[in-house]
Amino acid sequence: MRTKPGFFALHVVVLVAVAVLAGCAAPGKLEPAACSGPDHCEITVTVDEACNVNVQDKVDVAGPNRAIRWRLAASPAFRFASNGIEFRHPGTMFHTPTPGNTTFIWHDRNPPSQGQANGGQGTEYEYEVHVLRGDVACPVHDPWIVNRG
C-alpha cells in the first residue's frame, strides 16, 4: 500500500504540535488529593527556580474543625508572603490564620452540611498562594479546598 505524498510529514507536524502543547501545560496543576492527618491537613507547596508555584489544585477536606497547614518546600530564597494563603471568600468557614515564612495555617470549620452541598459534591473554596523570592512576588497560584463535611 502506498501513502500519499506528504502523509508522513503531516504526522510529524501533528506529533511535534502535541509535544509542544503538552510542554506548555500550566505549572502547578497536580492531581486532586485528600487531606492527611487525624486532626489536620498538610498541603505541600513547592516552588521551582523560575518562581512557578506548585500545589494540588483541589484538596478534599473531610471532618469538622480541621487545621489546614501549608508547608513551603523550596530553597531558603523563597517564603510565604504575609498573605501567603488567602481565601477569596472565606466567610466564617475559615478562621484564625497563622502566617509564617515556611508554614501557613488556617482553621476550617467544615460542618457536616458542607458535604451535602452541591448534590453531595461538597463545597469548593478558592484560595491564592502568595510566595516571595526575596521581596519579589512569584506568580499567584489559585487552587481550591473542597469541604466534604
Side-chain angles (χ1 to χ4, degrees):
M1 180 172 132
R2 295 184 58 171
T3 60
K4 294 181 182 179
F7 180 80
F8 178 73
L10 176 63
H11 280 83
V12 168
V13 169
V14 169
L15 288 173
V16 168
V18 168
V20 167
L21 289 174
C24 291
K29 302 294 183 195
L30 302 177
E31 292 299 314
C35 69
S36 61
D39 60 350
H40 73 278
C41 296
E42 180 141 332
I43 300 171
T44 301
V45 177
T46 61
V47 185
D48 65 22
E49 290 304 314
C51 220
N52 294 310
V53 176
N54 295 292
V55 64
Q56 284 86 7
D57 282 329
K58 286 191 178 183
V59 175
D60 291 341
V61 178
N65 301 315
R66 304 294 298 264
I68 304 174
R69 178 178 35 212
W70 287 263
R71 183 178 59 83
L72 185 61
S75 77
F78 296 98
R79 63 182 169 85
F80 281 120
S82 61
N83 64 335
I85 304 298
E86 184 174 38
F87 283 91
R88 295 242 172 120
H89 305 285
T92 60
M93 189 62 58
F94 299 93
H95 61 95
T96 322
T98 307
N101 285 338
T102 59
T103 60
F104 205 106
I105 300 169
W106 276 93
H107 296 273
D108 183 357
R109 295 186 200 288
N110 196 17
S113 61
Q114 291 287 290
Q116 298 158 2
N118 300 317
Q121 297 300 309
T123 305
E124 295 183 343
Y125 294 91
E126 188 173 16
Y127 67 95
E128 296 179 341
V129 180
H130 299 272
V131 175
L132 302 173
R133 178 176 25 206
D135 291 328
V136 178
C138 295
V140 173
H141 187 73
D142 57 349
W144 301 79
I145 293 293
V146 182
N147 274 352
R148 302 252 182 224

